Each structure stands twice: as structure tokens, then as C-alpha cells.
Amino acid sequence: MTIGKSRTLKMLGMLLFLLGLITGFAMTNFKNPRMGLAAHLEGVMNGTFLVAAGLIWDDLNISESLKKYTSWCLMYGTFVNWLVTMLAAYFGTSHMTPITGQGFTGTPLHENIITGGFITVGLTMVFSLLVIVYGLSGKGISRKE
């Protein structure tokens, strides 16, 4: 028996929420604790977002192939957002996060890793949200009920 995508998104959302809570316990141990707080919040908020996406998933009026691609983008975007933010706290980077990273500077390699991570997260999440909004608008493919 296979688990539906809606249930998978909800389960992964709860897992990410849990990872965010655990990150909260460790945030003072990062090189940049303020960024550690941001990682904690990213885990909790992105986990909640994945649960919400799972709740509306079956209402999307889009093709199954687009749903599959969008679900992978959502999973990538939410988990990598938490992970990259946590790495930014660990490395003490600031190029992409000048407010929470103020007073910190990572190595050029670390700054590049974080920059690349945040760029890919931004692109996948914007794509996913555009598809979700479109799929909820009712303008997508017509499905037989």
C-alpha cells in the first residue's frame, strides 16, 4: 500500500516541525545564536507550511506530473531552508543574511554554500507557491469528480 502525497506532506511537515523544535534547544551552541533562532523558526514555520500544503493538496486542479514536481520542490525548499539557515548559524555567515548575521563573517566557501542554498530555496519555493495558487484558482486542468 502506498501513502498518498497529501499524507506524506503532512508527515514530513510534522517531522520538520520537530527538527525545528530540537534546533531551538541547540541554538545557543551555534557560532551565531541569533541565526540559530532563525533556524529554529524556519523549521517550525516550514513544517507548519508543509502540513498546510498537505491539507489542501487534493484540492489542486493541476496535472499529476506537475503535482509530483511541485511536491518535490516543496520538500526540497522547506527542508533545505531549515538546513541552510542552521548551517549559516554554525558557520557564522552573513552575506545573504545581513540582519541576523550582523557582526559575523564566514569563509568565502561557507558564504558561497549558504548563498547557493538560499538561492535554490527561493526559486523552488516561489515556483511551488505559484503552482499552488494556480491550482487552487480553478483555472487548471478539469478533473472528473
Side-chain angles (χ1 to χ4, degrees):
M1 176 163 73
T2 60
I3 298 174
K5 191 57 72 178
S6 171
R7 185 172 179 177
T8 300
L9 289 171
K10 290 182 275 191
M11 185 273 301
L12 289 174
M14 294 308 295
L15 174 62
L16 186 53
F17 193 98
L18 176 62
L19 291 171
L21 290 178
I22 293 168
T23 304
F25 292 126
M27 68 185 177
T28 58
N29 296 317
F30 290 117
K31 185 174 184 179
N32 180 350
R34 188 173 188 188
M35 187 64 77
L37 174 61
H40 157 70
L41 293 172
E42 288 297 347
V44 170
M45 291 187 306
N46 279 292
T48 303
F49 173 71
L50 271 183
V51 171
L55 291 171
I56 63 161
W57 196 251
D58 293 330
D59 294 330
L60 297 181
N61 197 19
I62 56 176
S63 70
E64 288 302 315
S65 62
L66 187 55
K67 271 189 171 184
K68 182 178 180 179
Y69 188 69
T70 302
S71 69
W72 281 106
C73 284
L74 284 172
M75 291 182 278
Y76 174 88
T78 53
F79 275 87
V80 172
N81 192 5
W82 163 75
L83 180 62
V84 169
T85 306
M86 191 168 56
L87 286 174
Y90 178 78
F91 292 149
T93 60
S94 61
H95 179 72
M96 289 293 287
T97 56
I99 295 172
T100 52
Q102 187 174 17
F104 295 90
T105 304
T107 67
L109 175 62
H110 291 156
E111 293 287 356
N112 287 336
I113 290 169
I114 300 307
T115 297
F118 280 137
I119 288 171
T120 61
V121 164
L123 292 172
T124 56
M125 293 305 289
V126 168
F127 168 79
S128 299
L129 268 293
L130 288 171
V131 171
I132 289 172
V133 169
Y134 178 74
L136 289 173
S137 73
K139 296 178 182 177
I141 62 169
S142 60
R143 296 188 312 192
K144 295 179 183 174
E145 299 295 332

